[in-house]
Amino acid sequence: IDWRNLIPSDKYLNEFENTATGATKTDPRFGMSVYQSGDLYNNSKSTLTDADQNGNSSVVNGAPKKISWRKFMTIYKYGKTAADNGPTRAGGGNNQRMIRFAEVILNLAECEAETGNLTQAVAYLNQIRNRPGVAMPNYPTARYPTSTKEQVIAALMHEKMVELGDEEVRNRDILRWRAKKYFTTDPLPYFRANRDELLPIPQQEIDNNPKLGSGGINKQNPGY
């Protein structure tokens, strides 16, 4: 059903705070972001089953589950035929280019943390958590203390993942945080310096511009 070729990673699914793993509250953004078997769709007239969801199962808090993306999907109002890209091609409508206010606030939090204003950084993070529809406990928490810059960055990285999953912005964060060595395990171990860190200038643009077409541009590696 409905874009099952994209399945949330186990890392993402287990990032959400959950009472089963010791948190004081289960993050409601989990249910806002993904469907799992037993959830209602089709204007609450149909129940999602394992059989509806082709592909691999996920593992959440040690238990195997069939889980699919909810964000940007339209099955909340369509039945199985339409959700399977039938004649109405319900599918997903995610071809938009926008930045959400939540992302702006989280970026501000990162800026404040980088400049050493940890109190303001934490206030921005809590602004995201304090929304009525989320209402998660304020930082610091038992899992995410905020006494040091490193701890605030860890809370920020968590908050960005659970807030912005499936919104196709994490790649930029990974490149930036990797360069700052914020990861304990390199998420891009195959990256090579002076090869993968910059985007090359497209060859067509070099060919179209006589000032780029000559004068020392390395056409085998034109980004450098």
Side-chain angles (χ1 to χ4, degrees):
I1 277 189
D2 202 26
W3 294 89
R4 177 65 183 164
N5 57 320
L6 300 175
I7 301 174
S9 70
D10 287 354
K11 176 179 173 57
Y12 168 76
L13 295 171
N14 288 284
E15 185 71 18
F16 288 88
E17 292 159 85
N18 193 300
T19 56
T21 56
T24 57
K25 179 183 177 180
T26 295
D27 195 328
R29 288 172 290 187
F30 182 92
M32 299 173 188
S33 303
V34 298
Y35 281 114
Q36 56 185 317
S37 294
D39 287 344
L40 299 177
Y41 70 101
N42 188 24
N43 290 316
S44 297
K45 293 181 291 187
S46 303
T47 301
L48 196 65
T49 67
D50 282 359
D52 290 329
Q53 304 175 83
N54 63 296
N56 297 333
S57 295
S58 302
V59 178
V60 184
N61 298 326
K65 293 183 178 182
K66 281 291 187 78
I67 295 184
S68 302
W69 283 112
R70 185 177 190 135
K71 279 189 179 180
F72 306 115
M73 299 298 106
T74 55
I75 66 172
Y76 69 93
K77 64 177 180 178
Y78 289 107
K80 187 178 296 188
T81 300
D84 269 333
N85 286 329
T88 59
R89 295 193 66 78
N94 183 17
N95 192 27
Q96 305 168 40
R97 300 292 181 266
M98 64 177 67
I99 181 170
R100 289 204 291 117
F101 185 52
E103 185 182 355
V104 174
I105 297 299
L106 290 171
N107 288 341
L108 284 170
E110 184 170 351
C111 290
E112 295 291 355
E114 290 290 358
T115 56
N117 191 352
L118 302 186
T119 299
Q120 185 59 56
V122 172
Y124 280 134
L125 294 178
N126 286 333
Q127 186 174 335
I128 299 299
R129 292 168 72 86
N130 284 338
R131 288 171 297 167
V134 176
M136 287 297 289
N138 279 349
Y139 291 121
T141 66
R143 181 178 173 185
Y144 294 103
T146 56
S147 298
T148 67
K149 176 184 174 181
E150 290 73 22
Q151 291 172 343
V152 172
I153 291 294
L156 168 77
M157 293 168 75
H158 162 75
E159 201 65 27
K160 273 205 161 188
M161 179 176 276
V162 298
E163 177 67 31
L164 301 174
D166 196 35
E167 298 186 25
E168 301 182 17
V169 296
R170 185 168 170 78
N171 56 336
R172 298 191 292 271
D173 289 340
I174 286 175
L175 291 172
R176 184 173 66 258
W177 295 337
R178 179 181 181 274
K180 292 179 174 292
K181 303 186 185 303
Y182 287 153
F183 292 103
T184 54
T185 301
D186 190 351
L188 304 172
Y190 48 83
F191 261 43
R192 281 171 44 190
N194 300 320
R195 187 194 71 175
D196 300 323
E197 294 168 338
L198 302 174
L199 293 176
I201 301 170
Q203 186 62 50
Q204 182 176 348
E205 297 302 320
I206 294 174
D207 294 340
N208 288 341
N209 189 333
K211 293 186 178 181
L212 291 178
S214 60
I217 293 291
N218 179 354
K219 291 196 173 186
Q220 296 301 315
N221 196 10
Y224 312 104

